[in-house]
């Protein structure tokens, strides 16, 4: 589910400008299948560019009987906002499983909101190396297109 404030003109512009400052999250965490960008790397990649454009975010945990995740809210100093919910299925309902699902959801939701490249950390990477700059530019273009579509749908020009 995706929701926005009545108007998003200022937040959309600020997000576009922030994305120009963002780079890819650094793959500096180890997993059994190699390196990946952890939550701290994602936050490091987006926090200053967002702040520089008057943007901030917050994430609230969501836990249901069979899923866990986050509600992510992107806010602009104008009062405009965008909000989305992202949950993952729980195989088990223990503290570690819930915490892991929330952390994964936080990382993926922030990467999506900011439009920065997400590394494939499930062990099924393609054999060719990734061009992080090209991926970032493609993600920015998709995000700008999405923002334009949301603005059109809400009647903003």
């Amino acid at each position: 589910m995706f929701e926005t404030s009545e108007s998003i003109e200022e937040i959309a512009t600020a997000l576009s400008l922030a994305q120009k400052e963002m780079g890819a999250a650094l793959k500096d965490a180890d997993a059994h299948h190699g390196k990946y960008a952890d939550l701290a790397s994602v936050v490091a990649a987006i926090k200053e560019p967002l702040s520089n454009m008057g943007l901030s975010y917050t994430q609230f945990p969501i836990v249901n009987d069979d899923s866990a995740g986050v509600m992510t809210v992107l806010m602009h100093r104008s009062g405009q906002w965008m909000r989305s919910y992202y949950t993952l299925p729980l195989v088990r309902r223990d503290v570690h499983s819930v915490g892991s699902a929330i952390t994964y959801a936080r990382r993926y939701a922030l990467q999506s909101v900011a439009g920065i490249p997400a590394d494939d950390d499930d062990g099924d990477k393609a054999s060719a190396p990734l061009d992080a700059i090209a991926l970032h530019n493609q993600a920015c273009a998709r995000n700008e297109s999405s923002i334009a579509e949301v603005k059109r749908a809400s009647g903003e020009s």
Side-chain angles (χ1 to χ4, degrees):
M1 177 194 275
F2 176 75
E3 302 167 312
T4 69
S5 55
E6 190 172 319
S7 174
I8 62 163
E9 184 175 331
E10 291 184 52
I11 193 172
T13 300
L15 182 57
S16 178
L17 293 171
Q19 287 173 335
K20 289 180 183 179
E21 293 182 17
M22 291 179 200
L26 298 177
K27 295 190 297 181
D28 56 3
D30 292 310
H32 68 282
H33 49 72
K35 297 260 186 199
Y36 72 101
D38 64 5
L39 178 58
S41 293
V42 173
V43 170
I46 69 171
K47 195 169 191 172
E48 186 174 343
L50 289 177
S51 179
N52 289 345
M53 298 303 155
L55 295 163
S56 61
Y57 71 88
T58 191
Q59 294 182 298
F60 298 96
I62 300 169
V63 180
N64 299 311
D65 289 337
D66 59 353
S67 64
V70 293
M71 173 182 68
T72 302
V73 184
L74 181 67
M75 302 163 284
H76 185 256
R77 65 177 158 234
S78 67
Q80 295 176 3
W81 52 270
M82 297 178 177
R83 173 175 56 213
S84 68
Y85 302 82
Y86 181 55
T87 59
L88 299 166
L90 290 171
V91 176
R92 294 186 319 256
R93 191 174 164 90
D94 58 61
V95 172
H96 179 10
S97 297
V98 171
S100 181
I102 289 170
T103 300
Y104 268 80
R106 287 189 65 202
R107 178 165 45 114
Y108 291 131
L110 283 177
Q111 287 174 314
S112 296
V113 166
I116 63 171
D119 292 321
D120 178 2
D121 64 353
D122 66 4
D124 296 327
K125 292 185 178 184
S127 58
L130 297 176
D131 179 350
I133 298 300
L135 286 174
H136 173 71
N137 290 339
Q138 291 168 4
C140 287
R142 285 191 304 273
N143 201 14
E144 287 175 358
S145 174
S146 295
I147 289 170
E149 187 60 34
V150 170
K151 288 171 81 171
R152 274 193 294 278
S154 68
E156 293 183 31
S157 50

